[in-house]
Amino acid sequence: MAPSAPVRILLLAPDLLGESLALQLTRRQSDWEVSLRPDALNGHPQIVIWSIDKLPSLSALQREVLLLQERWHPAPLLLLLPRNVEASRDQLLTLSAEGLLQNGDCAQLQVAIDTLLQGGRTVRLQTVAPPSELPSLGLAQSLLLSGLQQISNDLQVIEALLKPPPHSWLLCLLLEGRCRELRSARALLLWLWGPLQVGLEDAVPLRVPMQPSPPAEESTAITLRQRNALAVWNSIRERLDGSVQTGLSNATGRLLAIEGLHPDRRRELLLALLQQLDHVLARLRHEDPAPARWSSLQPELRRQALTAMAGSYVQIPRDGVLQPVASTLLASADLEGVDDEMPDPASMLMPLLADQPVLVNGQLLPADDPRALLQLETLVSNWLVRTAELIGAELLEACGEWPELRRYLLGDRLLATRELDRLRNQLNNQLRWSEWIERPIQLYESNRTLFQLRAGRIEPLQLTEPRDQELNSLGWWQRQVALLLETRDALAPQLQALVRRLGDLAVVLLTQVLGRAIGLVGRGIAQGMGRSLGRG
């Protein structure tokens, strides 16, 4: 049997580092032929690796990448980046190299080389995560949190004064009484207005640390075994599967129905939705991928996901009779609902089905580009969370009518009827407020809120896009909200100019008229006093 041809690799790196990497790579793969200089190559390289010890300016690096790709085409280019890079993830993803590996070991380097040799792409970055924006709170929530934080701050100050206790028994008695008053006030606030997830025992620390916390690192790992639509979807599903398996926390600033579910049921529901989405995409690849066909498949997709989450053979007693959970839930749940905040499905489906380009920040990028893949992942995450919300609301409704079902589907804190009804009422009020007030404002401002899975959290992402057609289809009340915003924008400049002129007029009156009058009166008094002193 004839030996296979060696894999020619061009490694551009400093001398010592290049020799060390070449020795480790050839030791792991005997059929790899690593050259440290272009003149030492025995033919055209099959892959080019550039190790960068110090990152120059991003524009200069992009020019060098383009020159290397032009010179060694069609060999893929793999960039080895240092640990500390003064560039964000989005800036590094603009580089046109087929592979990006930051602070990787030899095993990761070998996997990246194998992926690129097979025609895929790989990205593994560890950049500093941007500071996360705090979710915006409503007026009632902000007042509640500020009151609780003030009470907690006063409690911590008083407790610090009581350790050790003061020598005066009267002062000690007053401080203990003040502590009891503050605790009672906090308990009353939480009993009246506190949401289910509020647990602010120590909302504000007594002493703020002087040293700022180190910035968190954001890890980005993308592996495409091939550069087509199917490989892009497989990579997105693997990433979302990993996020769901590790657990998700709510960082949206609003209540979610899936928060009430048991952690195991929530994870099973999200994974079942991903699996059903995979089946639907495989089906649409052989059928019509039009958005109408996609919409017609949504109810069946939700029913299948609900069945997989509940279990086909699980039975729970209801009024003393065992009943199958899945079929009973399917008979009572309304899974035909539509979320108006869902974006156009064509922007998510066509790149994953027909390998169409993705519009990212004004650029049309192929679906296998890391920036396009991350945007498609955001769209899939938004569909996943919003679809799970529709199913979760129906499950909460069913648990209200079937108490025995709560131990199987819901968390421990929602076993009590009062807590469950409280959560359902809060979700209903939040939905009404969103439909009547928030949605008209978002439509008028051309904003859309997407939910993305990021660093183990469900985070909101504001997307700006024209929504005039949805704005024109609003009801009467919602149109009045948009009209109030338009009136405010129209009258604000005139009101600001009027207030500015009134302020200028007040300044003139105070300085030119009243000030001079006071000066004349003071001068007259001084002259009168001088004459009196002169006569004396």
Side-chain angles (χ1 to χ4, degrees), residues 311-329 402 405:
S312 302
Y313 303 102
V314 176
Q315 293 184 347
I316 290 180
R318 183 177 187 181
D319 298 331
V321 180
L322 286 177
Q323 292 190 5
V325 175
S327 58
T328 307
L329 290 176
W402 191 352
L405 190 62

Side-chain angles (χ1 to χ4, degrees), residues 316-317 325 329 395 398-399 402-410:
I316 290 180
V325 175
L329 290 176
L395 294 178
C399 289
W402 191 352
E404 294 85 356
L405 190 62
R406 299 175 190 172
R407 290 192 178 274
Y408 179 64
L409 290 183
L410 304 183

Side-chain angles (χ1 to χ4, degrees), residues 251-425:
T252 61
R254 54 181 296 167
L255 284 176
L256 296 178
I258 57 177
E259 283 186 290
L261 299 180
H262 191 276
D264 293 339
R265 303 291 90 76
R266 180 168 60 244
R267 181 173 58 252
E268 291 170 1
L269 176 60
L270 294 173
L271 292 177
L273 284 172
L274 279 174
Q275 184 179 7
Q276 294 303 318
L277 178 59
D278 185 29
H279 295 337
V280 168
L281 291 178
R283 183 176 177 179
L284 290 178
R285 289 189 184 97
H286 305 287
E287 298 180 4
D288 183 14
R293 179 59 176 161
W294 160 263
S295 301
S296 65
L297 294 175
Q298 291 302 295
E300 180 63 25
L301 181 150
R302 297 167 188 171
R303 283 191 288 268
Q304 295 295 332
L306 179 57
T307 303
M309 183 273 299
S312 302
Y313 303 102
V314 176
Q315 293 184 347
I316 290 180
R318 183 177 187 181
D319 298 331
V321 180
L322 286 177
Q323 292 190 5
V325 175
S327 58
T328 307
L329 290 176
L330 290 177
S332 61
D334 180 16
L335 301 178
E336 305 284 342
V338 177
D339 192 342
D340 295 329
E341 288 301 309
M342 285 279 197
D344 184 11
S347 59
M348 178 184 72
L349 294 177
M350 301 314 295
L352 296 178
L353 297 176
D355 207 4
Q356 290 188 1
V358 182
L359 184 62
V360 181
N361 295 330
Q363 294 182 342
L364 281 175
L365 302 176
D368 59 271
D369 188 279
R371 291 168 291 173
L373 187 144
L374 292 177
Q375 179 164 313
L376 291 174
E377 181 183 341
T378 300
L379 295 176
V380 176
S381 303
N382 180 70
W383 172 88
L384 179 65
V385 174
R386 292 190 178 275
T387 305
E389 276 293 286
L390 293 175
I391 300 176
E394 296 297 327
L395 294 178
L396 294 179
E397 186 74 20
C399 289
E401 301 175 358
W402 191 352
E404 294 85 356
L405 190 62
R406 299 175 190 172
R407 290 192 178 274
Y408 179 64
L409 290 183
L410 304 183
D412 294 337
R413 62 186 177 88
L414 293 182
L415 295 179
T417 303
R418 179 183 178 184
E419 296 298 328
L420 177 59
D421 291 342
R422 189 178 178 190
L423 175 60
R424 290 168 57 192
N425 292 331

Side-chain angles (χ1 to χ4, degrees), residues 62-78:
Q62 179 67 19
R63 286 195 301 269
E64 292 296 330
V65 167
L66 293 176
L67 290 175
L68 285 175
Q69 288 179 326
E70 181 179 358
R71 179 179 179 183
W72 303 110
H73 180 78
L77 175 62
L78 174 61

Side-chain angles (χ1 to χ4, degrees), residues 144-159:
L144 171 66
L145 290 179
S146 63
L148 290 174
Q149 289 173 351
Q150 184 177 0
I151 291 174
S152 179
N153 199 11
D154 293 344
L155 273 174
Q156 291 177 348
V157 172
I158 295 176
E159 289 174 355

